[in-house]
Every structure is written in C-alpha cells, then in structure tokens.
C-alpha cells in the first residue's frame, strides 16, 4: 500500500467561542453538556448515590443475602462483605434464571433478557471453564435500555462542539443484528446491539441528527448479513451527497463493508441505474423500504462505476462520499492496526471513537472525539454503574495483578479486595482492571478490560483502553498479552515495506503439539503492486526473529536458556481467510456487528480452518537476544 496521506485537519467551525469550539445553540444539546458537567464535577457523590440505589433496591435478593450484606447500603460494608467475582462465579445463578427461576436471585427487578457474548471465535478471552461455542449470558433489566439511550443522547452534543452542521446531512453507518435465541425458561438471549436496535428506543426514536441514517430500519433489522450489507450499501451509495459521516462499530466492520463494495459494485451500480434492487434480496420489508428511496439514476451509476473501476482505491471513501467529515469507528486496542488501511481508503479523514461500552454495561464517551486515535480517552459517566478499579502492573511487559492471568480464582482474598479503589481515587498514568456493580444484578464483577488513566474531566478520571486482560499466549511460564503481541507484529511489518505489502489481518496460536511448544502467527497479506518482486522466505524469517526480539524477557529466556519454547512460526494464509473465519464465527452465533478478529485462538475447528489455507510457512532462524538478569520493558 502506498504511503497514506496525513489525516486531514478538523474543519474550523463557522461560529466558535474563544477556545475555537463550536457554539451550541440547541437547548437539548446544552442540557446534555450540562449533565456531563454536573456528573463529572461531583463524581464521588454520584457514585455513592448509585451504589445506595442499587443495594437498597435489591436489599433482599438471594445473592446479597447469601454473602451476608444483610440490607446494608453503605460503601464500607459493601466492600468488606461482597466478593469480587468473574463470570464463572455467577454461572450457577445465571443458569437458574435462564432455566426459568423468576425469584429475585441477582436483582429485585425482573431480568428482561440476557445479553450474549459468544466465545466460539473469541475463546482467548475466557478466564476459565467456558467451553468453545458457549454463550456468556449477561442479565439485564428493562430500565438499562434507558441508560444506554442516555449515552447515545450525549454523543451528538459532544460532536457538535467540534464539527458543525452535522444536522444538515446523514450518517452512513453499517449496523447489523443477530437472530436471537431463547433460554429454556423463555428469556431472549441476544447481543447487546441487537437488543438496542430491536428496541422501541431505536425503532421509534424521535428525529435526531446523530441517528439520521442512510439505512432504513428494515435494512438494519434484517437478520441475513448479505441482504443487510447489500441494501445498506445500496442506500448509502444512492444518497452519497447527503452523507456527512460514515462508520460502523469496529474498524474491522467498516473495512469489511468497503471490501464488500469492491466485490459487488457492478451489481450495486446496475440497481442504481435502473432504480431496482437485486433479486437475491428477498426480504420483503427490506425491498419495500429500499425501493422507497432508490429511483433510476444513470448519472450516479456512471460516476460510481468510473470511481470503482479505477486501478487504485486510495481515497475511495472521499471520492464516493465527497462530503464526509469523519469516520466513526473504534480504532483503539487491537483495532489500531486498521488505521493505515482506513487512512488509505479515506485520504486521511479523522477517525472518531465516540463511546466505550460492553454487554455488562455502557460506560462512557470520548469528550474529545477529533483527537488522534492514539490519544483516545473515555470519560466514565458516574450514573451508569458503580465503578471500582484493581491496580495492574507490567512485569516484563505482561499485565499482572494479584490474580494470576491464566488461573483465575473464584474470588479475591481479603487483602486483594482491599486493593480495589474507587473512581475518584485512581492515579494518573496507572493501569487498572475495571470492576463494576450494575443495576441489573452484577456485584463487583470483573469486566476484564485493562484501562490507563490519562487525565480528568473536572473531578472524573478519563481512561484509555489498553487491552483485554485475559488475551494471552502461553507455552510455559511465559505470558504474552494482546498489547505486547500487537507491538511485536508492528515492529516486524517494517520488513515488508520494500515489497509494497500490507497486513490485512492476523491471529495467533500457542501450538503445544510440538516439543517444545511454539507460537504460531497467521498472517493474511495484500500486495498493492503485484509487479514488485515476490517476498523471499528470508524476509519472513526476519519478521519471526523481530517478533521474538520484541517479546518480554520471560519468553526469550524460555527460548534461549530454558529451551521450553520453540522457534516462532509465521504462516501466510490465502486472501480471504479472515473473512472465512468471520463467516464461521457468525455461523456459530457470533454477531456481525460485534465481531472482532480474535488475537489468539484455541478452538480446534478454527485452527483447522486457518491451517487449511496456509500457502507458506517460515520459522525464526535463530534465538532472540537474552542475557541473565536482563529486563526489557514495553509500553
């Protein structure tokens, strides 16, 4: 891929205050911004009130009684009494609810549904005991939908401070649902975004410029991923001049949409030319909703054909959607690897990460959305749940705390519980594992996200997302986390620059079938200029060695001295392999909207799929550097 242009600077608003920020005249926006000011000015007071509300409402639920809270609602008693838990600790209670027990087990309010996480293709995130393909069921209650809507309602007022006139156009967002399941007891189980998109909060939403999409609701709510993608892309192309912002949930999802366009632009142009929709789109509600928008437009079809028919797709986003001001996708954590690709396709449009949320709870938002991706920080909104933080430390580049990251105990001991601190007590620059207590019945629950304190909004801390704590590779005593692996891969990619090659996707596998075991990385590459020389095996060997040199001293000791780890292996896979991997995950129940390529895999069918598409394999040619007592730290 040629060098991407520098990301374009933010458009200076026509009306600004002394700090250069867009002046918001809308009363609704002002109220939203004042809400942010209020809750961040007194976060500890808000947090104490939230904890009191949660505990008083559920004072007599079985779970709290079982642990001896005995109706107390104060913070000190709560901290001394209640254990810090993982999902596995709650599985027996969740199973009872799923099987139809309607007694107040976790929460006084009725559990309205379960929000699912599927681990069939995300198995490296398991802390323990969750078999491949098993759904992780997060209980939720009806009023949580209002809290999620609160976060969404804050996004546009924040954006309006930085980008003007967003109410004068539409957003082209690729949003998807997953067909839902039911538990034996009759409760719906579905991904959190499917729950939101199917709710009346979304379907019957009043007009809001932030949720004024090119995609009709019917195309978003279509369970067939091909029909949904095709119809959303068709509507987005047809309304190309109205599009002011584009996006998806994750960067990988948006790039998947662009690759879909690469494969199907001729069909899409045919429909735009004739004012039709392809016969493969059989969903009646989708066809009717799209045909209300699409009319014959030969001139637009000619334009799209000309742009998509060019040899280079650099800047295709700004070429097809010329009024686009930014791309709204998550590019933090491992999603950061997609930044060069997004820059290439968009001519360096600003990349915006707006909010931080999970199936357990929606947490907060980015108050400086036009910042560089590397500077993204989220302000946790104190009204969403009760937050606690477990300090973590990097030991030779590995994230650790008082809990072993591989073998997780059922709960923390008294000393370890005392390590947890409150929202207002976190320290600048320190990393923490997030622990939450929610209105829906999670008490001191370890989310598994590692966050770093980057600053403050009034008295409320702001956090950058570092990684998922339990995403690790391990052969022996070595532990490699997601961030360290990402940095090592980034270092190795410098060897591919002379060959005009770029990394499309990657994952890893701790292969213990060999003696000794070794790390395997699966790489899918793209060659932009196929006329350049083929990449010789020696280059991939150099990549292997660079990765090993970038890993922590425990790993390198295992390679050099202990001989407990074999040479690292890179396997080059066929083009389209990671699309196949995503299709497989979706077939097992993963949500296309929430899917992220796993950075390590263990599930045997996934490893078999990857190995079946290997076209070349290389090993590290020698041991990395290591000396006794030498420590190497990585950010």
């Amino acid at each position: 891929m040629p060098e991407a242009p520098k990301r374009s600077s933010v458009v200076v608003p026509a009306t600004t205050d002394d700090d250069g920020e867009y002046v918001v005249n809308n009363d609704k926006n002002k109220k939203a911004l004042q809400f942010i000011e209020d809750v961040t000015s007194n976060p500890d007071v808000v947090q104490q009130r939230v904890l009191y509300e949660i505990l008083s409402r559920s004072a007599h639920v079985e779970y709290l009684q079982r642990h001896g809270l005995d109706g107390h609602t104060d913070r000190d008693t709560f901290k001394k009494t209640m254990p810090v838990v993982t999902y596995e600790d709650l599985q027996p209670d969740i199973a009872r609810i799923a099987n139809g027990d309607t007694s107040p087990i976790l929460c006084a309010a009725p559990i309205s549904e379960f929000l699912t996480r599927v681990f069939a293709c995300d198995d490296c995130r398991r802390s323990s005991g969750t078999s491949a393909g098993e759904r992780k069921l997060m209980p939720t209650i009806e009023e949580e939908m209002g809290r999620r809507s609160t976060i969404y309602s804050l996004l546009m007022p924040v954006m309006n401070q930085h980008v003007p006139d967003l109410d004068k156009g539409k957003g082209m967002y690729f949003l998807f649902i997953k067909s839902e399941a039911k538990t034996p007891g009759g409760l719906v189980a579905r991904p959190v975004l499917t729950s939101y998109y199917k709710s009346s909060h979304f379907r019957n939403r009043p007009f809001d410029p932030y949720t004024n999409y090119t995609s009709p609701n019917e195309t978003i709510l279509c369970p067939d991923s091909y029909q949904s993608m095709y119809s959303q892309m068709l509507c987005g192309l047809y309304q190309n001049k109205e599009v002011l912002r584009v996006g998806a949930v994750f960067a990988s999802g948006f790039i998947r949409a662009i690759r879909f366009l690469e494969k199907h632009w001729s069909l899409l142009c045919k429909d735009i030319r004739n004012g039709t929709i392809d016969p493969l789109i059989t969903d009646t509600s989708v066809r009717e909703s799209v045909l209300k928008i699409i009319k014959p437009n030969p001139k637009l079809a000619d334009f799209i054909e000309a742009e998509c028919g060019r040899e280079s797709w650099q800047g295709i986003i700004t070429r097809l959607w010329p009024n686009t001001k930014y791309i709204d996708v998550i590019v933090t954590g491992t999603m950061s690897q997609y930044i060069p690709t997004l820059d290439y396709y968009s001519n360096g449009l600003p990349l915006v990460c707006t909010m931080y949320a999970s199936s357990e709870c929606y947490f907060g938002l980015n108050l400086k959305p036009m910042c560089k991706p590397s500077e993204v920080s989220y302000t946790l909104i104190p009204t969403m749940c009760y937050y606690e933080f477990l300090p973590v430390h990097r030991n030779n580049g590995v994230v650790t705390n008082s809990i072993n990251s591989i073998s997780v105990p059922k709960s923390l001991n008294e000393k370890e519980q005392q390590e947890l601190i409150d929202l207002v007590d976190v320290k600048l620059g320190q990393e923490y594992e997030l622990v939450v207590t929610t209105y829906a019945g999670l008490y001191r629950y370890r989310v598994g996200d590692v966050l770093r304190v980057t600053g403050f909004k009034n008295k409320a801390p702001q956090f950058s997302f570092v990684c998922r704590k339990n995403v690790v590779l391990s052969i022996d005593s070595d532990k490699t986390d997601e961030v360290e692996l990402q940095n090592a891969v980034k270092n190795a990619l410098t060897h591919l620059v002379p060959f005009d090659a770029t990394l499309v996707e990657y994952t890893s596998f701790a292969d213990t079938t060999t003696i000794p075991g070794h790390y395997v990385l699966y790489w899918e590459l793209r060659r932009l200029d196929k006329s350049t020389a083929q990449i010789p095996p020696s280059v991939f060997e150099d990549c292997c060695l660079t990765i090993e040199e970038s890993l922590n001293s425990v790993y390198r000791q295992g390679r050099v001295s202990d001989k407990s780890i074999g040479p690292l292996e890179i396997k080059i896979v066929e083009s389209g392999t990671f699309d196949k991997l995503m299709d497989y995950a979706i077939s097992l129940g993963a949500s296309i909207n929430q899917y992220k390529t796993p950075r390590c895999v263990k599930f045997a069918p996934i490893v078999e799929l990857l190995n079946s598409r290997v076209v070349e394999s290389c090993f590290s040619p020698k041991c990395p550097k290591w000396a006794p007592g030498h420590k190497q730290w990585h950010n």
Side-chain angles (χ1 to χ4, degrees):
M1 183 179 295
E3 183 178 354
K6 293 182 179 179
R7 191 167 293 104
S8 56
S9 58
V10 181
V11 178
V12 177
T15 306
T16 60
D17 62 14
D18 293 339
D19 295 322
E21 291 194 328
Y22 183 59
V23 176
V24 180
N25 296 316
N26 184 285
D27 286 341
K28 180 180 177 183
N29 285 359
K30 287 182 177 179
K31 289 179 181 178
L33 295 175
Q34 188 59 50
F35 169 79
I36 295 172
E37 287 293 323
D38 291 343
V39 297
T40 58
S41 296
N42 298 287
D44 198 49
V45 172
V46 176
Q47 281 280 276
Q48 289 190 66
R49 185 181 73 237
V50 166
L51 183 63
Y52 170 80
E53 289 177 354
I54 292 172
L55 298 181
S56 60
R57 291 181 188 184
S58 296
H60 302 294
V61 302
E62 180 183 324
Y63 183 83
L64 296 181
Q65 290 293 312
R66 184 192 310 155
H67 289 288
L69 193 60
D70 197 29
H72 289 281
T73 58
D74 62 287
R75 183 152 57 185
D76 288 343
T77 305
F78 172 73
K79 285 176 172 287
K80 290 177 182 177
T81 305
M82 298 303 297
V84 178
V85 297
T86 64
Y87 181 76
E88 285 70 26
D89 297 306
L90 301 181
Q91 272 187 320
D93 289 321
I94 288 173
R96 287 171 56 194
I97 299 169
N99 287 324
D101 190 333
T102 58
S103 59
I105 299 171
L106 294 175
C107 182
I111 301 300
S112 57
E113 62 180 316
F114 287 109
L115 304 177
T116 62
R117 282 185 174 180
V118 178
F119 286 80
C121 202
D122 203 13
D123 52 2
C124 58
R125 290 187 178 182
R126 296 199 306 272
S127 52
S128 65
T130 307
S131 61
E134 183 177 342
R135 291 173 182 256
K136 196 175 188 180
L137 301 177
M138 289 295 167
T140 192
I141 57 178
E142 194 64 40
E143 71 175 70
E144 279 300 294
M145 193 64 70
R147 289 189 184 85
R148 292 176 218 145
S149 297
T150 295
I151 292 288
Y152 286 118
S153 72
L154 299 175
L155 299 179
M156 195 62 176
V158 171
M159 286 304 308
N160 272 334
Q161 290 183 291
H162 304 274
V163 184
D165 299 329
L166 289 176
D167 57 336
K168 297 178 181 178
K170 296 184 177 183
M172 183 182 71
Y173 286 75
F174 295 97
L175 308 175
F176 304 93
I177 65 161
K178 173 63 188 172
S179 56
E180 60 199 36
K182 281 196 174 182
T183 68
L187 286 175
V188 174
R190 55 192 177 186
V192 62
L193 290 174
T194 296
S195 172
Y196 180 71
Y197 297 146
K198 284 192 167 186
S199 72
S200 60
H201 289 263
F202 180 80
R203 290 182 291 104
N204 303 324
R205 63 193 183 277
F207 177 80
D208 184 322
Y210 196 85
T211 56
N212 185 17
Y213 301 132
T214 56
S215 300
N217 284 356
E218 292 82 358
T219 65
I220 296 170
L221 296 173
C222 176
D224 185 291
S225 60
Y226 176 87
Q227 295 189 56
S228 180
M229 179 74 84
Y230 187 94
S231 56
Q232 291 191 60
M233 182 64 76
L234 180 61
C235 291
L237 286 168
Y238 187 82
Q239 301 170 85
N240 72 320
K241 293 291 180 66
E242 297 178 64
V243 172
L244 299 183
R245 58 201 187 279
V246 299
V249 178
F250 295 113
S252 56
F254 186 74
I255 290 173
R256 184 174 174 87
I258 298 301
R259 290 182 186 155
F260 184 93
L261 177 61
E262 287 187 79
K263 293 180 181 178
H264 302 289
W265 61 264
S266 58
L267 276 178
L268 292 158
C269 285
K270 180 182 177 182
D271 281 339
I272 291 173
R273 185 179 305 282
N274 300 322
T276 57
I277 184 168
D278 191 83
L280 288 176
I281 310 305
T282 57
D283 188 303
T284 303
S285 64
V286 170
R287 295 185 66 86
E288 290 176 353
S289 66
V290 171
L291 291 175
K292 289 178 182 178
I293 297 172
I294 304 296
K295 307 299 177 187
N297 193 334
K299 185 178 179 181
L300 177 59
D302 289 342
F303 166 73
I304 296 170
E305 282 183 344
E307 293 298 332
C308 292
R310 288 192 194 181
E311 184 176 348
S312 171
W313 269 50
Q314 181 173 346
I316 193 66
I317 295 169
T318 49
R319 281 154 45 192
L320 293 179
W321 297 278
N323 298 317
T324 303
K325 299 184 178 185
Y326 62 87
I327 302 176
D328 187 350
V329 289
I330 293 173
V331 289
T332 52
T334 57
M335 289 292 119
S336 64
Q337 68 162 313
Y338 298 105
I339 293 172
T341 303
L342 289 170
D343 282 347
Y344 177 78
Y345 284 133
S346 73
N347 275 334
L349 280 175
L351 303 176
V352 172
C353 301
T354 56
M355 62 185 291
Y356 172 39
S358 75
S359 298
E360 291 87 347
C361 184
Y362 278 30
F363 300 124
L365 63 161
N366 181 4
L367 298 182
K368 295 181 179 179
M370 305 307 284
C371 67
K372 297 177 181 178
S374 60
E375 298 172 355
V376 170
S377 292
Y378 300 102
T379 302
L380 303 190
I381 300 301
T383 57
M384 302 305 293
C385 64
Y386 182 70
Y387 301 100
E388 293 178 273
F389 300 88
L390 180 63
V392 300
H393 310 283
R394 290 194 176 274
N395 182 10
N396 291 319
V398 178
V399 172
T400 62
N401 53 27
S402 45
I403 310 150
N404 184 288
S405 61
I406 299 298
S407 177
V408 181
K410 287 294 181 182
S411 61
L412 304 179
N413 61 38
E414 184 176 346
K415 179 181 178 182
E416 290 166 332
Q417 288 191 55
Q418 291 173 356
E419 287 191 32
L420 270 74
I421 59 176
D422 294 314
L423 182 66
V424 296
D425 295 324
V426 297
K427 304 299 182 183
L428 186 66
Q430 174 65 51
E431 293 182 2
Y432 300 90
E433 184 181 353
L434 180 62
V435 177
V436 298
T437 296
T438 71
Y439 285 88
L442 299 178
Y443 306 94
R444 310 195 85 184
Y445 178 84
R446 295 175 58 204
V447 175
D449 290 354
V450 176
L451 309 178
R452 181 184 295 118
V453 183
T454 57
F456 295 85
K457 166 65 176 177
N458 296 323
K459 295 180 181 179
Q462 297 173 311
F463 298 86
S464 63
F465 178 86
V466 177
C467 65
R468 288 284 300 181
K469 180 174 182 295
N470 290 314
V471 179
V472 293
L473 283 170
S474 181
I475 295 294
D476 188 54
S477 58
D478 56 296
K479 298 178 182 68
T480 300
D481 70 23
E482 185 174 344
V483 172
E484 187 175 41
L485 180 63
Q486 169 101 359
N487 288 335
V489 169
K490 182 179 178 181
N491 292 340
L493 292 178
T494 58
H495 295 291
L496 301 184
V497 172
F499 299 92
D500 248 348
T502 183
L503 182 64
V504 174
E505 270 290 11
Y506 78 95
T507 191
S508 62
F509 172 59
D511 187 352
T512 56
T513 63
T514 60
I515 301 175
H518 69 289
Y519 288 9
V520 178
L521 271 68
Y522 296 92
W523 282 11
E524 181 177 331
L525 302 178
R526 174 179 289 187
R527 299 288 301 281
L528 292 175
D529 186 354
K530 296 182 180 179
S531 65
T532 58
Q534 290 297 309
I535 305 174
S538 61
V539 172
F540 292 124
E541 291 177 354
D542 291 340
C543 290
C544 290
L545 183 58
T546 298
I547 291 173
E548 292 195 301
E549 296 278 13
S550 302
L551 297 178
N552 62 74
S553 63
V554 175
Y555 171 90
R556 288 180 286 112
Q557 179 180 349
R559 280 279 284 121
V560 178
S561 177
D562 300 340
K563 306 296 183 183
S564 60
I565 305 172
L568 183 140
E569 180 181 12
I570 291 178
K571 293 184 177 182
I572 308 302
V573 296
E574 298 173 17
S575 177
T577 293
F578 281 86
D579 286 339
K580 294 284 186 183
L581 182 60
M582 180 176 182
D583 292 339
Y584 180 74
I586 292 170
S587 74
L588 294 179
S591 166
I592 188 174
N593 207 52
Q594 292 178 273
Y595 174 85
K596 292 188 290 188
T597 299
R599 287 297 166 243
C600 57
V601 294
K602 299 176 185 176
F603 191 37
I606 294 173
V607 178
E608 291 170 7
L609 185 157
L610 291 167
N611 284 333
S612 71
R613 298 178 66 87
V614 172
V615 296
E616 188 173 359
S617 178
C618 291
F619 288 88
S620 186
K622 59 183 180 180
C623 287
K625 295 183 181 68
W626 176 81
H630 176 71
K631 292 183 178 181
Q632 183 175 342
W633 296 86
H634 302 280
N635 293 325

